Amino acid sequence: MKKIGRADPLPPPVDDPSVPLTLQLLADTVPGGLALLVSGGDGKPRVEASCPPRLRVGTGLRVPPGLLTAHPVAFDASTRRVPAEWTAILGDHPAHFAAVPVGERALHLVLAGTGGKAIAPPSLARWGQLMSRLLDRDRISLRADASRRLAALIDGLPSPLAFVDGGTIEVFVNDGARQLLGIAPGVRSARTIAAALALLVQQDGDGQAAALARDPMASLTFAIDRGGRHFAVDSRWVSEPELTGRVWLFRDVTDDYRIARFRDELVSNVSHELRTPLTSILGALTLLDVGPQGGVSEENATLIDIALRNGRRLLGLVGDLLDLDRAEAHGLNLARRPTDLSLLLADAIVQNRPMAQRHDVTVTLLVDDDGLGVDHHADVDPDRLLQVVGNLLSNAVKFSPEGGAVTVRLRRAATGWRLTVADEGAGIPDELREQLFTRFARGSTPSRIGIPGTGLGLAIVKAIVEAHGGTIAVEPPGGGGAVFHVDLPD
């Protein structure tokens, strides 16, 4: 990225300690958010402040057309020509942009995000007004003035928010956060508010209270329900030269929650309704006599074979969706019995050998201490575990280059067994790692290069492994390829 020097006239530097905090609060309102103060009265936009700090002050910046105007602007990225550098800046494809002019220095407050919805222009205008007040006021008695402005900022925010100042032990909380914390209007006791926040973590923090006790600067993320609405709570430590403390942001995700629930129920209901007619169709197709005496031409026989293959694939997709539905609703029922894991892995390799041969991939099985009389038995559901290994092995083969190798390994672990599947492919993109084991998780590369898949396999694998009391993890990026570990108890 080209760096613009300071030879051209620039507005005074942004040195108000409240400005980075305000940018961070704004960035936190959307997934993958980046908030910037941008100067550009001379037609050459430059960065004056960035949160997260991904861009240096003075960096030249190309922006989508129509972003920096005299009025609040918000639009989806798909509607404009977005410079390619924004994907690198955000770490993912931008989903939306918003900007509003602030202050009297030809500055714009810019917000970009990779998910969720663009901020509405009325809310954007309020943010712009708040930022304008921060930038344009005289800096008299910085510490006292910063506290007053911070209180005004938090009181005026549309989202519930609290801030505990680590330097002065002051606590700032707006009306929305008061309602969620059960704090009566007018109560300003720092001790009372801090106690309410501590109780919130203790009761709803999913066990994160212990982590906060060990590390007071730890970041927290959990969910709460209040009055029939769902909120995502994000708490993190902010450290700036003149402003240090903990921010608590409460984001209303009720609509997202309802949409996700409706989607899951719809998928489940449709899956149930599809299964019976699909089974009937496949049965009828199977009964068709495609031999020389059946009177079916070679062309029709080919069409029947295509219909069978695609029907079985669709029936498999329906089965996967129903498996996930059962796992999430009631848990999977396992038919456990003592099973030789080494033979099970060998069986999985045999079943996937035709695919490996088509892709010119070599699959190797390594069993530690094999031949030394080690008992490789474990109490598992062999059919379900074969499904786990088959899915991991199928993915490894599909994503391996021609002539590549896949290694399947079984070894003793401290509390049971570890099954490992490693390939020599391109590895897992960083943006996919956090959602790797969720429904329909699928990166852009497989779709682009034509690798089939629904994004359900690893979600089912995780459900089966956890039903066995085990865990599944993928190694951090480093050596190339993808390496999955499944740990199972004895």
Side-chain angles (χ1 to χ4, degrees), residues 123-141:
S123 295
L124 183 62
R126 292 180 64 184
W127 281 100
Q129 292 168 3
L130 291 169
M131 182 63 77
S132 294
R133 290 202 296 266
L134 292 176
L135 293 174
D136 297 336
R137 287 184 178 179
D138 294 332
R139 288 159 174 80
I140 302 173
S141 186

Side-chain angles (χ1 to χ4, degrees), residues 347-357 389-391 393-394 397:
D347 189 18
I349 292 175
V350 170
Q351 292 184 17
N352 283 273
R353 183 169 293 159
M355 176 188 288
Q357 291 173 343
V389 180
N391 188 284
L393 192 52
S394 172
V397 170

Side-chain angles (χ1 to χ4, degrees), residues 206-244:
D206 295 331
Q208 297 182 71
L212 187 60
R214 290 191 302 268
D215 180 8
M217 297 184 183
S219 294
L220 309 177
T221 303
F222 54 94
I224 62 173
D225 294 335
R226 295 291 187 273
R229 300 197 69 81
H230 305 274
F231 292 85
V233 183
D234 184 15
S235 175
R236 66 183 65 183
W237 187 263
V238 178
S239 183
E240 297 294 337
E242 298 295 336
L243 196 60
T244 301

